[in-house]
Amino acid sequence: QIDGMQIHLTDDQGWMASFVLSENLRADAAQAVAALKRQGISVRMLSGDQDASARRAAARAGIAAVQGECTPEEKLNVLWRLQAEGRRVAMIGDGLNDGPSLARADASFAFGESVPMSRAKADFVVLGDELIKIPDAIAQARRTLQVIRQNLAWAAGYNAICVPVAIVGWLPAWLAGLGMAASSLAVLLNASRLALARQAKA
């Protein structure tokens, strides 16, 4: 639990009560941050909360780079600066003031329980409230991109070698057709590894 803003209630006679607003860190926050770091991703926290509260939350989640009391414009400026340095930025947010940054980021995530503005501006909406789904999604995207590159390389290599050979008549038409079918099957089987990996993890 993270201590936050204090509110004091008074009347004409003086002090009546004090309230300390606090919030709980998501249960899998530290796990998700650790998973992102293992993927080579730098994690930064930009919060509209008081700086002290934001730093306490970041420390518990394992985030070293943190900035509290950020306005929507300040969050946007941080994204612009990072992108100007040549970095690709993914933004995770669920508040109303996260909308501009979610729209600006190279990739952005909101949660199903986020405010409508955040869901509308985000590229991906994560069902539920589990942060660990975000590094899982990034890992799956990287695996998918790797498979796409492998399939493109395989198809380009096959066409570069077999098609010219078939054109000059060194390869029978039936064998060229069989090779094309085998090439398509290899691409399909390679792509199916993604679904098998997801089933095995589930």
Side-chain angles (χ1 to χ4, degrees):
Q1 199 173 62
I2 305 164
D3 293 334
M5 183 183 300
Q6 294 185 8
I7 297 178
H8 304 283
L9 180 64
T10 64
D11 62 7
D12 293 337
Q13 282 71 45
W15 172 84
M16 296 177 59
S18 294
F19 304 91
V20 177
L21 303 182
S22 61
E23 57 183 337
N24 293 322
L25 201 65
R26 292 179 188 264
D28 62 344
Q31 179 186 3
V33 170
L36 290 170
K37 289 181 178 179
R38 286 194 298 270
Q39 294 174 357
I41 298 173
S42 298
V43 182
R44 180 186 299 260
M45 178 176 172
L46 303 174
S47 175
D49 294 340
Q50 291 181 338
D51 191 65
S53 298
R55 291 186 181 280
R56 285 194 293 268
R60 291 187 56 189
I63 302 173
V66 55
Q67 183 178 339
E69 301 178 17
C70 291
T71 64
E73 293 78 11
E74 288 172 335
K75 292 183 179 182
L76 199 54
N77 287 336
V78 171
L79 262 67
W80 278 336
R81 187 173 66 251
L82 293 172
Q83 289 172 331
E85 295 173 357
R87 302 190 186 191
R88 289 174 294 178
V89 180
M91 175 75 180
I92 305 169
D94 58 5
L96 186 62
N97 63 353
D98 293 322
S101 298
L102 290 169
R104 174 65 189 182
D106 298 289
S108 53
F109 299 84
F111 293 93
E113 60 185 19
S114 303
V115 298
M117 171 67 78
S118 293
R119 295 200 303 269
K121 297 299 183 182
D123 297 313
F124 305 96
V125 176
V126 180
L127 300 180
D129 60 353
E130 295 180 5
L131 282 169
I132 195 63
K133 290 182 178 179
I134 293 173
D136 287 348
I138 293 173
Q140 179 70 4
R142 287 178 170 177
R143 287 192 294 268
T144 301
L145 185 59
Q146 182 181 23
V147 167
I148 290 173
R149 287 171 175 166
Q150 291 171 351
N151 287 344
L152 289 175
W154 170 262
Y158 173 84
N159 290 329
I161 296 173
C162 294
V163 171
V165 172
I167 290 176
V168 298
W170 294 348
L171 187 67
W174 66 269
L175 188 56
L178 185 62
M180 183 64 72
S183 176
S184 300
L185 181 60
V187 167
L188 181 61
L189 291 175
N190 191 34
S192 69
R193 292 189 301 115
L194 295 169
L196 294 175
R198 293 291 295 177
Q199 292 174 0
K201 185 172 182 179

